[in-house]
Amino acid sequence: GVAAAFEMDRGTATLLGSAFSSTASDDAGATVSVGTAIDRAAATLVMDRCLVTSADVGAVAVAGTGWITNSVMRAGRSAWDADMALTIWSGAVVNSAIAIDGAAIMGWSVLVQQDGDVSLVNDVLSVGSSFVDADVAVGSGAAVRLQNNLFWGTDADCRVYAIDGGTCLGLAGSNSCAGWAAGTCTAASGNVEGVPAFADWPALDVHLTAGSTAVVDAGLDPAALLAMPAAVEGACAFDYYGSARPAGGAWDIGPTEL
């Protein structure tokens, strides 16, 4: 059954500076769930500076348009076939941390749904070990912009996985549209592998530290890349803790600025 801490089928949900958690197990559904597959155009999620965790599969599921900024999403391990921390159909995820601990068979940090169109910019993506896993899984007919993200950890079999055809791309493939199926790559560049060196990730303290060299000044100005609603663009000027961006010579990758 569904065990969402926040659930909405139609309309626009705006979640600001909020925390949502679910301890439900046995594939209970995402902690935050917006929209339905029947009418994806009917729902929009605007989420900024939020913390969403799930003990089982799914932190956030957006069967509609999602504008997600400066947020932290972490999902646990499920005994089911496939887990994903974030499922999204349309929109953009900017300066966020998205992590999944793993799955019994397949695990993906982000699943871009069939026929979707999603931009992932300045995000930290992490996936735990499972039989087949990837930082980003791309559904049939979906298009993805993947720019200046940090792939955290070495467990992932693929940085990008095309569900149709089973194409598995590593770091080099994530930085060029050449190996992607036609129409599935809007842009791919600036993605790196490394460790964000958060202050205390198990405790979900995502302050950056002196060791966060992989993410500091490694991001892009999302407003220069993406057409976003004014409120979303304004949110990009601050981080998860409310500090101004950029604090240095450029945007940092992930939810916080050093």
Side-chain angles (χ1 to χ4, degrees):
V2 175
F6 180 91
E7 185 175 12
M8 186 195 76
D9 290 342
R10 302 176 66 86
T12 298
T14 300
L15 307 179
L16 305 175
S18 302
F20 301 90
S21 178
S22 172
T23 58
S25 59
D26 298 326
D27 198 34
T31 304
V32 170
S33 179
V34 172
T36 67
I38 296 173
D39 189 3
R40 291 172 174 166
T44 298
L45 170 66
V46 177
M47 189 171 86
D48 180 56
R49 294 178 293 107
C50 287
L51 169 65
V52 185
T53 61
S54 170
D56 207 323
V57 56
V60 177
V62 186
T65 299
W67 300 104
I68 300 174
T69 53
N70 305 309
S71 292
V72 177
M73 292 157 274
R74 187 171 75 178
R77 177 184 294 271
S78 168
W80 291 73
D81 288 349
D83 289 359
M84 58 290 296
L86 169 65
T87 304
I88 186 169
W89 178 63
S90 177
V93 186
V94 177
N95 280 112
S96 294
I98 310 158
I100 189 164
D101 290 340
I105 297 178
M106 293 179 288
W108 308 315
S109 299
V110 179
L111 169 62
V112 179
Q113 294 173 331
Q114 180 177 348
D115 300 322
D117 188 351
V118 173
S119 296
L120 301 171
V121 178
N122 298 348
D123 296 314
V124 173
L125 305 172
S126 176
V127 61
S129 179
S130 59
F131 183 69
V132 177
D133 45 34
D135 293 289
V136 180
V138 182
S140 174
V144 178
R145 176 189 291 270
L146 193 65
Q147 290 186 273
N148 290 63
N149 300 285
L150 177 80
F151 299 126
W152 178 16
T154 58
D155 285 329
D157 298 304
C158 317
R159 294 310 182 191
V160 179
Y161 176 73
I163 295 175
D164 275 7
T167 303
C168 177
L169 301 175
L171 181 63
S174 76
N175 283 308
S176 170
C177 288
W180 296 51
T184 62
C185 181
T186 304
S189 63
N191 302 297
V192 297
E193 295 174 338
V195 176
F198 293 133
D200 190 346
W201 174 248
L204 295 170
D205 180 349
V206 292
H207 284 96
L208 298 184
T209 66
S212 302
T213 55
V215 298
V216 173
D217 293 346
L220 297 171
D221 178 358
L225 292 176
L226 308 174
M228 299 179 288
V232 178
E233 185 173 327
C236 292
F238 300 91
D239 76 357
Y240 180 72
Y241 294 111
S243 299
R245 290 189 190 273
W251 266 250
D252 295 346
I253 292 174
T256 53
E257 289 278 315
L258 182 64

